[in-house]
Each structure stands twice: as C-alpha cells, then as structure tokens.
Amino acid sequence: MAAADRDRAELGVVTADPGGVVAADRGRVELGVGIGWRAEIDLTVERLPGVEFVEVIAEGLRPGNLPESLRVLRERGVPVIPHGVALGIGGADKPEISRLRHLAACAEALAAPLVSEHLAFVRGDGLEAGHLLPVPRTRDALAVVVANIKIAQAELPVPFALENVAALFGWPDDELTEAEFLGELVERTGVKLLIDVANLYTNEVNLGADAREALDRLPLTELAYVHVAGGHSHDGVWHDTHTASVPESILDVLTELCARVDPPGVLLEWDDDYPSDQALSEELGRIRAAMSRAATRS
Amino acid sequence: MELVLLVPAFVIAVLIVSISSSIKREHRRVRSVHPLGGPPLEVYELAYLAGGPRRTVNTAIALLSAQGRLRVSRGGRLAAVSGSGGSREAVEQEVLNLASVPGGQTAGAVRRAMAEGPALIGIMHRLTGRGYMVPETALAQGRSYNRILGWFAALSGINWVLSVVLIATQAVPVGVGNILAVISGAFFSLYALIRHQANQRTLRSLLTRAGYDSLSAARVTFRRGSGHMPIIHSPVHGAYGVNDNTFAYAAVGGAVALYGLGEFNSPDADEIAREDHMQGSSGGGCAAGACGGGGGSSDFGGSWGSDPGGFGGGDFSSGGSSDSGGGSSCGGGGSSCGGGGCGGGS
C-alpha cells in the first residue's frame, strides 16, 4: 500500500473503487476533481486529463440504455453521480415514488456511490415552476422536508446528498438561515451535503447572505462534494448561468471552504456555450489551484 | 443457310463497336475542356473534386475539429466551440453556423443542409467555370449512348442464345460461318456488357481531364498517411499536433480532402462519418455525393483509364459508417435543466 493510501486508510477515508461500490468509513467517498458530464461534451470529458469523477443529470438518463460515453467512463473506474433536478424534495407534497425509483435505477446502473438533488421545490398544485425555488426556512417546512428526505432515503440504494440552491428571492418569514436549515436536515436525517459555492456566492451578491458566514455554520463534516460554476453579472445581479469561466470571487469561496474542510470532491458545472477542451482543462486547473491555496494558507 | 447466323451477329457487333466509339469520343470531348488559369486549387476545391459535397463538408468538419473550433461528440453531434470565432472560408463558416444552434447538429444533418448550400454551390460553379468539372448536363449525351449500348448488349446476348439453340437443334447447319457467329456473338456480348458497366462508373464522374490532373498532382504533394499526425494526449481540443502548426494543418486538410476521413487520425473521425438513424440507406433527397458516399473505396469514384479517382467516391475507407449514432443523445438534456437563469442555478 502506498504511503498516501496508508495515511488515508488511517484517516478512515476510502476511494470509490472501479466498480463504483463504495464502503466508506464515516460515509466519506473520495471523488477528487470532476466535471459535469453533458452529451455535448462527452468525448471532451472522456479525454480531459485529471477528471476523477463526473456527474450526470439523472432526468436525461435511461438506466437501461446508458450513453456509451458513460459506459466508457465507468469501465475506466470513473465514478458517475446521478444528479436530480426535478424531484422537488422541498415541496409540501411527498416526493414522487416514480422519480425516486428512477434515481435509484440510475444509481444502480451507474454503480454510483451516491445520488444528489437540490433542496428546492419545483412544482406545486400541478404547476411546474421551471426553476429551483428556495424552501421557506421555517420549523414547519423543516418537518416536511425531513419527512420527504426520509422517504427518499428509504427508496435509494446509496447515500443521498442535497444541494443548496441559488435563490431568486428569500421568504419573508424565514426562521432559520440556510446553514441552520441544512444543519438541522443533516442532523435529523443523516443526509449528505452538496455545497455549491457558486450558489453561496450568488446568494451573497443578490440577497446579501454572507458566503463565509454560511461556511462557518454549515456541517461541513457531512460534505459529499462541491459544485463550482461560472456566471455573469448584469446590473449588479449575479446570474448563475454555468456558461462562463469561474470568477476568482467564487474560487475564493471554494478556497474558504477548503480551508475549513478537505472536500471529498469538487465538480465544475458547465451547461452551455462550451469552450475549448483547453479552456475546460484550465478551469479544472484553476479549481485545483484554489483548493491548494487553502492548504498553503493554513 | 451457312451464314444465316453470322449476318445478324455481324450487324450487332458493328453497332456495338460503333456506339462504344461514340461514347469514347463523347467522353473525350467532354473531359477535354481546357482549364482557365488562376490560383492553384485550395483544399476545399480539391475535396470537392475528390469526393464531392460530402468530402468537402467532412474536410471542413475535420479541420475545424483539429483546430479546436468545432466540438464533435458521440453520435457525430457537432457544436461550435464557444469563443472560437468565425472563418474566412465559406464552407467552414457554414459548418460553424449550422453547429451553433443550441445543442448542435449531427454531422449527417450538417451534410444534408450544406448539400444545397451556397458554399458548396459556389465551389461547384468555380470548378466548373475554371474547367475542372463539367455540369451534369454535359454527360447527358454520353449517358444516353451508354443506355443504347446496354440495349445492344442485351440484343447480342439474346442473339447468341438463339444461335446456340438453333445450332443445337440442328435447325441451321453446323458450318464455319455459324460457328463463327456463335463465337463472335459471345465475345461482343461480353465486351458490350463490360463496356456498359465501365461507362456507367466513369459517367458518374464530373471531372475533366484537368480536374483529374490536378488531383493527381495534389496526391503527389499529399500522400496517403500525410494527415496521420501523432496524437498528443493533451487537454487541447483537437490537439493532434496541428493547432499551431500551419504545415501539419495543411497536411491534415490535404489528406482528408484527397483520401477521406480515414486520413484523419482522431477518434472524432468515426463520429464525423456517422449518419443519422433516419438516414437509412437510401440517401434520397441529397445532392450527389452528399449522402452516404459512393460506397466502398475512398479513392476511385470514377475510373477513366488510369486516372485517379474523382468526385463520386465514398468518403471513408469503410464506405461511410451508417450505423447508429444514438448513444449519447439520450443522455442529453443536461444543459437546459442543470443551468439556472438569474440566480436560479443549481
């Protein structure tokens, strides 16, 4: 066993194995640095050096007929995480069992170490919002979301992680901060956290919620992995578009996070206007640099 | 009765030789257009001469991919790389325009859209105007003669069968004349059939003598394998050693233009060659050479003596893959749902 592996084993850390079956002490799964897999950049993702894991939008997958590119990545031992965008676990209704079964089927087809979704509501009374809307952070809402998460966990064969969203607005009667709300969810359900530092930044710019303060209060020991993405500023509003290079200010938030915890994985999201392979590779390099800045700072 | 079979056999043989000579003369006349002077042919003109519209579009796709300006994904889907800018080459710009729609387009769809597009029509007119190609209509007479040759071949065959039957049943005497009629009938039937088939192939090609000569000269400059740049496993998209290497870039372009995608030393080549599911094997509705290639060899679409092949040939050494492009497409949809609008990202 290599020294580094031995050190990690002593720390109770395991790496996702080539088959994607993970038995992790303290539930930690080492992922590394990755990128969001999209059909438009499938060959790019396959040939980019240093891609240690990928995430795929679960709603676009057919578990019985996985894209060839994902099969190639799996054969190489690259973990693939199904990422849901339409479960609506933050809604007042119970999560739809069919959606959960689809997520479960995706996880099994990909031998995924975990499944992730958003802490958001996306529909109500039959109407689709078309956005990942923030959950009212009240005690009542907390109880509902806790129940929903437990339903999801019962259906899923792997650990479940929830992502903080970039809110379009804040509810006037919020009783808890986002960090407190997520902390309560983790404590009551054991759900893992997917922290999107770009969303923390977006909420800081648009809603005044201090990203560093949030990082201080979040239960980062339960971190599954991290999202990083670029966006655009327009009239003082930050648009989290996932279509541009990650600005230094968001990488700074990542550095802050890494100064507090060693994240199991960090993933670059890029959803449209894809730049060259070189540019994407450089983005991954910038992410690694931001992570290592935390080490040199501490 | 001694010559009863020889007379019709002789008449048919004369007709066959006569029409074959007419086809040759017509061929020679059409192909002998004298080229106008002007600059040497550029890569897309050579591609058009060598493989028609399909080869031209594939050359543009391969070059843009090699330069990192066009992204090829599984299933042959093409998408313009953001921030890569435009192109001064009309063919390249048309590819980039078509690949710039959200989600991109398949290579097959791009080929179909471009078959009747201004860039390829422009090249065709330029080559025709400069004497490297002839319009389709110029071959109408030759094709018409060849149809007649086909009928004569059939007539000769029928006459031969009839002659054999008459001799076998001793309806006519077994004399020197009649035996000669059977032998010559067999020879000219075979000759007519072979010439008819050969003419059918050569009459597909629209190249003039000058067009063939230009291709021959270009094939001396760009030999097979000249586009096989060593693959550098670098993060640079299309980093096959060509990004900052003008010579290598020209070599890749020349090789793909002249010999097809088999010369593009990249995993992208297989994807570019794919046709869409719906395309099937008909290739209907496409301009000549635009869909499905000519089948088989990437070299000799037409054979005019020992000339190098020209327009009409396939574009991939395997004859152009027509298998599934499906694969990754079902995993799509990520872009629209993952991204957020104003503050609404995931």
Side-chain angles (χ1 to χ4, degrees):
Chain A
M1 186 188 287
D5 292 341
R6 206 165 39 240
D7 292 345
R8 289 152 71 87
E10 284 166 5
L11 289 169
V13 170
V14 296
T15 304
D17 71 12
V21 180
V22 175
D25 293 346
R26 299 206 295 259
R28 182 178 169 105
V29 179
E30 281 298 310
L31 296 168
V33 173
I35 188 168
W37 183 94
R38 305 290 183 259
E40 296 94 322
I41 55 168
D42 54 4
L43 287 173
T44 292
V45 172
E46 288 173 42
R47 63 187 165 211
L48 272 179
V51 170
E52 294 164 292
F53 79 109
V54 301
E55 179 194 79
V56 58
I57 302 298
E59 281 76 6
L61 274 187
R62 279 184 289 167
N65 185 20
L66 292 176
E68 187 181 353
S69 176
L70 290 181
R71 290 202 302 269
V72 167
L73 290 167
R74 284 301 302 124
E75 282 163 15
R76 286 186 202 162
V78 176
V80 181
I81 298 175
H83 182 58
V85 295
L87 184 60
I89 200 138
D93 297 326
K94 288 176 183 171
E96 290 174 37
I97 295 299
S98 60
R99 291 182 186 277
L100 287 169
R101 286 185 179 152
H102 177 74
L103 283 174
C106 289
E108 280 171 350
L110 293 163
L114 64 129
V115 167
S116 59
E117 243 291 353
H118 299 86
L119 175 59
F121 79 89
V122 297
R123 70 183 65 80
D125 202 20
L127 287 176
E128 294 287 334
H131 272 284
L132 298 163
L133 298 174
V135 175
R137 293 192 295 266
T138 62
R139 292 281 167 195
D140 289 342
L142 184 67
V144 171
V145 178
V146 164
N148 286 351
I149 291 172
K150 285 181 176 171
I151 291 169
Q153 286 172 322
E155 287 291 330
L156 295 172
V158 290
F160 187 45
L162 277 182
E163 177 182 356
N164 59 309
V165 298
L168 285 162
F169 54 86
W171 294 101
D173 299 325
D174 283 348
E175 296 166 12
L176 303 165
T177 65
E178 185 172 39
E180 288 167 344
F181 196 85
L182 283 165
E184 289 275 352
L185 291 179
V186 168
E187 194 180 320
R188 294 194 198 182
T189 66
V191 73
K192 297 289 172 187
L193 288 182
L194 163 51
I195 296 299
D196 188 325
V197 292
N199 290 351
L200 289 180
Y201 175 78
T202 305
N203 291 346
E204 179 174 282
V205 173
N206 297 350
L207 302 175
D210 190 278
R212 284 149 189 82
E213 201 177 303
L215 288 175
D216 286 336
R217 293 171 182 272
L218 283 165
L220 294 177
T221 51
E222 299 307 313
L223 188 60
Y225 63 108
V226 177
H227 271 175
V228 185
H232 294 93
S233 180
H234 185 67
D235 290 338
V237 176
W238 184 255
H239 298 252
D240 182 39
T241 58
H242 302 179
T243 59
S245 176
V246 183
E248 283 301 322
S249 42
I250 289 177
L251 290 176
D252 287 345
V253 181
L254 174 64
T255 303
E256 289 284 344
L257 181 144
C258 294
R260 289 161 174 78
V261 67
D262 175 22
V266 179
L267 182 127
L268 172 67
E269 291 187 290
W270 204 304
D271 286 337
D272 205 354
D273 292 343
Y274 300 101
S276 66
D277 290 14
Q278 183 174 19
L280 287 173
S281 180
E282 284 168 4
E283 285 298 301
L284 294 178
R286 292 177 67 229
I287 286 170
R288 284 197 178 86
M291 293 167 72
S292 59
R293 276 200 294 276
T296 53
R297 209 174 61 177
S298 60
Chain B
M1 290 296 278
E2 273 292 310
L3 301 176
V4 71
L5 298 182
L6 190 58
V7 172
F10 179 75
V11 171
I12 292 170
V14 168
L15 289 172
I16 286 172
V17 170
S18 169
I19 197 74
S20 289
S21 301
S22 297
I23 293 169
K24 273 186 185 172
R25 273 197 307 277
E26 179 64 14
H27 230 137
R28 212 174 293 126
R29 184 187 68 75
V30 170
R31 308 285 178 190
S32 64
V33 176
H34 288 289
L36 299 174
L41 295 178
E42 49 93 9
V43 67
Y44 294 116
E45 290 170 330
L46 286 172
Y48 201 98
L49 287 179
R54 180 185 173 88
R55 177 76 59 81
T56 313
V57 176
N58 284 351
T59 303
I61 293 171
L63 277 178
L64 288 168
S65 164
Q67 292 171 307
R69 296 156 72 194
L70 185 74
R71 175 171 278 112
V72 181
S73 53
R74 286 185 182 273
R77 186 156 286 277
L78 310 176
V81 169
S82 180
S84 64
S87 173
R88 283 181 298 180
E89 290 287 347
V91 182
E92 293 179 2
Q93 187 58 54
E94 206 169 319
V95 171
L96 289 172
N97 289 345
L98 288 163
S100 293
V101 299
Q105 291 213 50
T106 62
V110 168
R111 281 190 285 266
R112 284 194 298 280
M114 288 185 68
E116 304 288 346
L120 293 184
I121 299 290
I123 289 176
M124 186 190 71
H125 284 311
R126 218 159 49 235
L127 290 169
T128 307
R130 289 178 64 186
Y132 294 104
M133 276 178 63
V134 291
E136 282 277 338
T137 50
L139 296 173
Q141 186 71 40
R143 287 170 182 164
S144 165
Y145 284 163
N146 197 45
R147 272 195 298 278
I148 295 170
L149 179 61
W151 285 114
F152 286 166
L155 183 64
S156 181
I158 291 166
N159 185 59
W160 179 80
V161 170
L162 202 60
S163 300
V164 169
V165 170
L166 289 173
I167 289 175
T169 57
Q170 296 187 336
V172 294
V174 184
V176 175
N178 287 338
I179 293 294
L180 198 62
V182 170
I183 293 169
S184 68
F187 172 78
F188 280 104
S189 297
L190 212 58
Y191 171 78
L193 195 67
I194 290 168
R195 287 310 316 157
H196 175 69
Q197 295 299 317
N199 289 339
Q200 267 194 332
R201 281 197 301 277
T202 54
L203 285 167
R204 275 193 214 123
S205 173
L206 300 176
L207 270 61
T208 63
R209 185 78 249 170
Y212 281 121
D213 288 346
S214 297
L215 274 185
S216 291
R219 282 182 170 134
V220 171
T221 308
F222 300 107
R223 298 202 175 272
R224 272 190 183 281
S226 60
H228 278 233
M229 307 305 296
I231 295 176
I232 300 165
H233 293 289
S234 140
V236 181
H237 180 68
Y240 313 113
V242 295
N243 261 1
D244 301 313
N245 190 329
T246 307
F247 175 75
Y249 166 61
V252 170
V256 175
L258 293 172
Y259 307 108
L261 284 171
E263 290 293 306
F264 186 34
N265 188 25
S266 158
D268 289 357
D270 287 334
E271 305 302 328
I272 296 168
R274 283 180 198 265
E275 285 301 336
D276 304 337
H277 274 307
M278 61 178 180
Q279 196 51 11
S281 58
S282 71
C286 300
C291 302
S297 166
S298 60
D299 275 342
F300 283 55
S303 54
W304 189 235
S306 59
D307 288 329
F311 179 6
D315 195 47
F316 208 65
S317 44
S318 63
S321 166
S322 60
D323 59 344
S324 152
S328 57
S329 61
C330 61
S335 335
S336 57
C337 34
C342 170
S346 48

